[in-house]
Amino acid sequence: MDNNDRLTRLRYALDIKDNDVVEIFRLGGATVTKEQVRAMTTRDKDGNYEEELDNERFERFLNGMITSQRGVREGAPEPELELHSGNVNNLLLKKVKIALSLTGDDMLEIMDDAEARISKSELGAVLRKEGHRNYKPCGNRYVRNFLKGLALRYRG
């Protein structure tokens, strides 16, 4: 699963329109157009995305999503970009959790809705900061099931 897949699935799960995606990117500090959004979320005949979504822009989207849902914190420094290919799934879960004001129990229910079993300690390990002794890299399966559960919850 790449960043384009993650963005496409997240957009679908939360029913985010193109104009809103452009605004979320703007709030995160990236400038994109509606055409670029469509290119990032549409596959061509060969099954490839027309425009590749790199880690920096994807993290800016996630940061913008937090800002759009929770508002701007006064006096807060701009968040450091810490996304790399090894922790992208972990940060996706963590930032969506923050943006939607979800608790750990909410996340477990969402995963359960998608018929995915994850223990509270596994979830805690996935949400820990990279470098913590109990940190665990998050696999694509958890993210797929989490986004499927979000779609079931937010789209009915």
Side-chain angles (χ1 to χ4, degrees):
M1 185 177 341
D2 62 12
N3 291 337
N4 295 75
D5 289 328
R6 291 177 186 97
L7 177 65
T8 303
R9 290 171 189 248
L10 187 58
R11 277 189 59 199
Y12 175 78
L14 299 176
D15 197 21
I16 304 172
K17 307 293 183 228
D18 288 345
N19 290 333
D20 297 330
V21 172
V22 170
E23 179 63 16
I24 289 170
F25 269 111
R26 188 192 65 74
L27 291 171
T31 305
V32 296
T33 63
K34 281 175 64 171
E35 291 75 27
Q36 286 176 301
V37 170
R38 287 191 187 109
M40 285 185 258
T41 56
T42 306
R43 292 182 186 267
D44 61 14
K45 293 179 283 193
D46 301 327
N48 299 319
Y49 287 99
E50 296 172 20
E51 184 172 333
E52 193 69 29
L53 181 60
D54 62 4
N55 286 340
E56 179 183 345
R57 283 201 300 180
F58 186 61
E59 186 170 6
R60 289 190 182 280
F61 174 80
L62 294 173
N63 291 338
M65 199 167 111
I66 292 171
T67 303
S68 74
Q69 297 299 310
R70 310 264 318 230
V72 178
R73 282 189 3 203
E74 291 298 321
E78 184 170 328
E80 288 183 35
L81 299 177
E82 55 187 333
L83 187 73
H84 57 80
S85 59
N87 70 353
V88 65
N89 289 334
N90 296 69
L91 280 176
L92 171 75
L93 290 178
K94 197 180 304 183
K95 291 186 183 226
V96 170
K97 177 183 187 268
I98 292 168
L100 300 178
S101 302
L102 299 173
T103 63
D105 291 333
D106 292 336
M107 292 187 74
L108 290 172
E109 286 176 19
I110 289 170
M111 295 288 269
D112 196 43
D113 290 346
E115 298 179 9
R117 304 288 176 242
I118 182 172
S119 69
K120 199 168 196 165
S121 61
E122 280 180 301
L123 180 63
V126 164
L127 294 175
R128 294 211 183 273
K129 185 174 181 134
E130 192 172 15
H132 187 278
R133 65 185 176 94
N134 292 332
Y135 171 83
K136 177 183 172 192
C138 179
N140 288 334
R141 182 177 61 99
Y142 286 145
V143 172
R144 272 193 215 100
N145 287 320
F146 178 71
L147 294 175
K148 179 180 174 185
L150 276 180
L152 292 171
R153 179 172 281 198
Y154 287 92
R155 293 184 70 98

